[in-house]
Amino acid sequence: MAKSKFEYVRNFELDDTCLRNCYIVVRLDGRNFHKFSEQHNFMKPNDNRALGLMSRSARSVMEELEDITIAYGQSDEFSFVFKRSTTWFKRRASKLMTHVASQFSSSFVYYWKEYFGEHPLLYPPSFDGRVVLYPSNRNLRDYLSWRQADCHINNLYNTAFWTLVQKGGLTTTQAEERLSGTQAADKNEILFSEFNINYNNESPLHKKGTTLIWEKVNETTTKQIKRPDEVETEITVTRTRKKVTSHSCDIIGEQFWEEHPDILESDQC
């Protein structure tokens, strides 16, 4: 194929191929979601509609990019982990990040009505993204542990904060001052002694976030078949297929990883 004299401009493109044998993590964060949540009247401290929509959008990304082995989300963020052997988009960071961000954002808009009903989407949301490489299973697990620990810290604070406002009658400024300098035990004590709320009984979705993984599931359907005597008979058919499943559980300890050993690849190159 003949080339034009303008072809040289391709030399200005940077090589952003991700290092081999590393997990590629794409993390998305909602841009100005504090404002977005206020203008769309999200419930405080947690809006299950919004969390469900985030999870549905993430599932759409995983179904589109099957080399994503696990995804973890909380609040307005979601992290997507590409297996270390992936060759999608020739491992180009810009291609991976933009595809994940665009698929997630468009899914967020597409499925909005499914979760918010007639409550209108007032303006398009946007998500920024970054790409980080993790060379070992330990590094990757520590990253996911960091995000889940962050979920717990933020949710405990927000639960205490909005309880003081909604049930305690404090202004947001007063609630912020009340919680200033407090530790986790202090917040738990405020919730229990003043409002009879045991934080341990709060929803696992809010405390642990959402983990999405691929699992084999059995699906049973019925269909009509016509026998040689031309009599129709209904039979049951069971098929096994891979499906994205959602979990709100601890991913810091060992149990989750022992139950799902296929998520991580061997550290042996």
Side-chain angles (χ1 to χ4, degrees):
M1 180 180 291
K3 295 183 179 181
S4 75
K5 67 178 182 180
F6 307 110
E7 196 81 11
Y8 78 93
V9 297
R10 294 185 62 183
N11 295 326
F12 289 92
E13 295 183 15
L14 294 176
D15 180 15
D16 61 350
T17 304
C18 293
L19 192 66
R20 292 181 62 188
N21 298 321
C22 290
Y23 292 103
I24 303 172
V25 175
V26 178
R27 186 166 93 239
L28 302 183
D29 289 278
R31 182 175 179 272
N32 290 334
F33 253 59
H34 179 73
K35 172 186 173 184
F36 184 88
S37 64
E38 285 188 345
Q39 296 199 348
H40 289 86
N41 297 315
F42 282 13
M43 290 179 276
K44 305 292 185 181
N46 293 289
D47 192 311
N48 288 336
R49 300 169 302 173
L51 294 174
L53 178 56
M54 290 285 290
S55 180
R56 181 63 185 88
S57 303
R59 179 156 62 90
S60 174
V61 173
M62 290 186 68
E63 291 168 345
E64 181 71 18
L65 299 170
E66 294 183 7
D67 268 7
I68 296 173
T69 185
I70 184 172
Y72 175 77
Q74 51 116 346
S75 186
D76 65 341
E77 71 168 61
F78 240 101
S79 296
F80 300 89
V81 180
F82 286 84
K83 59 185 182 182
R84 66 197 329 166
S85 58
T86 188
T87 56
W88 278 78
F89 302 112
K90 299 180 179 179
R91 296 180 68 89
R92 291 187 59 184
S94 57
K95 291 279 190 178
L96 292 168
M97 182 177 68
T98 53
H99 194 106
V100 169
S102 61
Q103 180 74 27
F104 189 93
S105 299
S106 59
S107 297
F108 193 93
V109 174
Y110 184 82
Y111 293 110
W112 173 270
K113 197 169 184 178
E114 187 175 314
Y115 290 86
F116 283 86
E118 297 305 313
H119 190 84
L121 180 62
L122 301 178
Y123 59 89
S126 61
F127 297 84
D128 63 68
R130 72 198 71 188
V131 174
V132 186
L133 307 183
Y134 293 100
S136 72
N137 289 340
R138 182 73 269 163
N139 294 152
L140 177 64
R141 284 189 54 182
D142 285 348
Y143 168 78
L144 294 169
S145 296
W146 170 49
R147 300 321 305 142
Q148 187 166 71
D150 188 70
C151 173
H152 162 69
I153 293 169
N154 290 338
N155 188 66
L156 177 57
Y157 179 90
N158 289 334
T159 300
F161 179 90
W162 286 107
T163 299
L164 287 170
V165 172
Q166 295 168 350
K167 296 183 178 181
L170 272 62
T171 65
T172 54
T173 300
Q174 291 170 332
E176 186 175 349
E177 291 174 349
R178 175 75 187 279
L179 294 176
S180 178
T182 58
Q183 302 299 315
D186 303 318
K187 297 180 183 70
N188 275 296
E189 180 61 24
I190 290 172
L191 289 171
F192 188 74
S193 63
E194 298 184 26
F195 302 99
N196 198 30
I197 296 175
N198 186 339
Y199 182 74
N200 291 329
N201 295 333
E202 293 296 295
S203 168
L205 171 64
H206 304 156
K207 295 187 299 181
K208 302 293 186 182
T210 299
T211 302
L212 302 178
I213 59 174
W214 290 98
E215 289 189 285
K216 290 182 179 179
V217 297
N218 292 325
E219 293 188 341
T220 302
T221 58
T222 57
K223 66 177 184 179
Q224 301 286 335
I225 63 168
K226 185 171 288 189
R227 295 164 52 184
D229 58 5
E230 297 191 353
V231 176
E232 283 197 349
T233 303
E234 187 177 86
I235 65 170
T236 300
V237 178
T238 300
R239 292 187 176 91
T240 300
R241 71 181 185 94
K242 286 180 65 179
K243 184 178 181 181
V244 177
T245 59
S246 177
H247 306 262
S248 292
C249 61
D250 176 67
I251 59 173
I252 297 176
E254 297 298 326
Q255 182 177 345
F256 173 82
W257 302 99
E258 291 171 354
E259 292 175 351
H260 306 285
D262 296 337
I263 295 174
L264 300 177
E265 296 175 87
S266 172
D267 275 333
Q268 301 298 320
C269 296

